[in-house]
Amino acid sequence: MKLSVVSTLYQSSASIEEFIQRVTSSAKRFAGDDYEIVLVNDGSPDDSLTKAVSYCEKDKHLVVIDLSRNFGHHKAIMTGLEHADGDYVLLVDSDLEEDPEWLELFWERMQTDHADAVYGVQEKRKGGWFERLSGWLFYNLFNTFTGVSVPKNWVTARLMTRRYTEALLLHNERELSIGGLFLLTGFEQQAVSVNKHSISNSTYTISKKIAVLVNAVTSLSSRPLVGIFYIGALIFSLATIYSLYMIINWVFLSSPPSGWTSVIVSIWLLGGLTISFIGIIGIYLSKIFLETKQRPFTIIKKIYGRSDK
């Protein structure tokens, strides 16, 4: 099979019909009749599954994978990629904020640069000032704490070769950050400037973005743990210098410095740092706990199409 188009469904009822039509048109121009569309229902609470299954019954190219519950966008994507058989795999969101027609743009760049993956990067981040500011902070903090240089304002949509897709699927971690895995997989990757539409308000609140950042950093890098060591070493050095100052002051001046404020501030500072560091270590321990349990990545309830498994 030449092409697989992979997407996820979550509250996609309003866009699924147009999405399938546009994806089908782009896929036919690219691969003729040699393509498939793999839709992963990630526990969508609306009637996305019902609509997708009805289209599946009419179109032999459509495959619908129904997960047993909501596992999260990134895990649903990886499940879809596992079931994609194409020599080339197009990953694109079903909410139509990303154009399925980017397939042709990505293919041209892939041929020109002999790349294994071509992905979209927004020329200007969609949304209001808060979304743009929080996005800017997210990428800067992410790159700083992980050491992985993720392109700012990248989008989900990307075209990948079979060998790149198979290499990406070699990552078996249960707590994953797919953006980091895209880069860690390696191979030749190229970015293309795109304009992402702003059809609806982002569902990512500030608390969700913080949670995503913490999960992404701790899933990809041990830098925070190394940072704890260096901060501890810095505090120890400062404390040693201050202790020497107090000893010299007591021996030669016989007037120990007064100031309960500095003592209390020091106690609160060290106490806060200690609790924060214990929390960081706890996050890593929880991830080790989840990884060692080797729970199923996702659980598939049923596959529609492909003889309705």
Side-chain angles (χ1 to χ4, degrees):
M1 184 172 294
K2 185 174 182 180
L3 175 68
S4 295
V5 180
V6 176
S7 188
T8 61
L9 301 177
Y10 189 81
Q11 295 183 342
S12 306
S13 178
S15 61
I16 187 171
E17 181 177 0
E18 182 181 351
F19 173 77
I20 291 175
Q21 291 174 352
R22 291 172 62 181
V23 165
T24 298
S25 298
S26 295
K28 285 183 176 178
R29 288 194 298 270
F30 179 84
D33 197 50
D34 193 19
Y35 72 92
E36 66 177 355
I37 302 172
V38 180
L39 301 178
V40 182
N41 178 48
D42 189 25
S44 182
D46 60 10
D47 62 345
S48 296
L49 175 64
T50 302
K51 287 187 176 182
V53 171
S54 67
Y55 294 126
C56 183
E57 294 170 349
K58 304 172 187 176
D59 188 350
K60 66 177 182 179
H61 299 286
L62 196 60
V63 178
V64 179
I65 301 173
D66 183 26
L67 302 184
S68 63
R69 62 173 177 84
N70 176 262
F71 287 88
H73 186 214
H74 292 181
K75 292 183 178 181
I77 286 175
M78 293 294 277
T79 300
L81 295 178
E82 287 177 349
H83 289 80
D85 296 328
D87 296 328
Y88 297 93
V89 180
L90 174 67
L91 180 62
V92 60
D93 281 341
S94 62
D95 57 9
L96 294 178
E97 292 191 352
E98 301 171 348
D99 294 329
E101 292 79 13
W102 290 348
L103 170 61
E104 298 173 27
L105 179 65
F106 292 167
W107 173 246
E108 291 177 2
R109 185 62 178 270
M110 180 174 283
Q111 292 295 100
T112 301
D113 295 336
H114 305 287
D116 284 281
V118 177
Y119 57 91
V121 174
Q122 299 178 69
E123 294 180 354
K124 181 180 180 181
R125 187 175 180 86
K126 75 178 186 71
W129 68 269
F130 175 76
E131 188 171 352
R132 291 196 296 270
L133 177 61
S134 59
W136 179 84
L137 284 172
F138 176 89
Y139 286 110
N140 279 278
L141 291 173
F142 178 88
N143 292 341
T144 299
F145 286 122
T146 64
V148 178
S149 183
V150 173
K152 295 179 181 179
N153 300 330
W154 68 279
V155 299
T156 301
R158 59 179 45 224
L159 180 64
M160 303 169 285
T161 61
R162 168 51 47 187
R163 68 174 182 173
Y164 176 88
T165 304
E166 290 179 350
L168 176 63
L169 292 172
L170 291 176
H171 298 96
N172 292 319
E173 52 257 62
R174 268 51 182 171
E175 298 294 308
L176 59 85
S177 172
I178 200 168
L181 295 185
F182 283 148
L183 286 181
L184 292 177
T185 301
F187 294 91
E188 182 66 27
Q189 303 186 41
Q190 294 295 331
V192 174
S193 295
V194 296
N195 289 313
K196 185 174 181 178
H197 306 293
S198 183
I199 296 176
S200 59
N201 294 326
S202 175
T203 59
Y204 279 89
T205 62
I206 185 65
S207 60
K208 284 186 178 180
K209 289 183 178 182
I210 293 174
V212 169
L213 176 62
V214 171
N215 179 66
V217 170
T218 54
S219 296
L220 292 171
S221 174
S222 61
R223 275 196 174 190
L225 292 175
V226 177
I228 289 176
F229 167 77
Y230 285 112
I231 292 174
L234 176 62
I235 293 175
F236 175 78
S237 300
L238 294 175
T240 301
I241 295 172
Y242 187 65
S243 298
L244 291 174
Y245 162 74
M246 292 183 66
I247 292 172
I248 293 172
N249 193 61
W250 177 75
V251 171
F252 294 101
L253 301 179
S254 298
S255 57
S258 61
W260 289 101
T261 302
S262 61
V263 174
I264 297 300
V265 169
S266 300
I267 291 174
W268 279 95
L269 174 63
L270 293 176
L273 287 174
T274 301
I275 294 172
S276 299
F277 292 165
I278 291 174
I280 292 174
I281 296 172
I283 291 173
Y284 278 97
L285 288 176
S286 70
K287 289 189 176 295
I288 294 172
F289 172 72
L290 292 174
E291 293 292 342
T292 56
K293 292 176 77 70
Q294 288 293 294
R295 289 173 176 167
F297 195 72
T298 56
I299 298 175
I300 297 174
K301 184 188 297 184
K302 186 173 182 180
I303 299 179
Y304 299 88
R306 293 180 180 168
S307 302
D308 287 340
K309 296 180 182 180

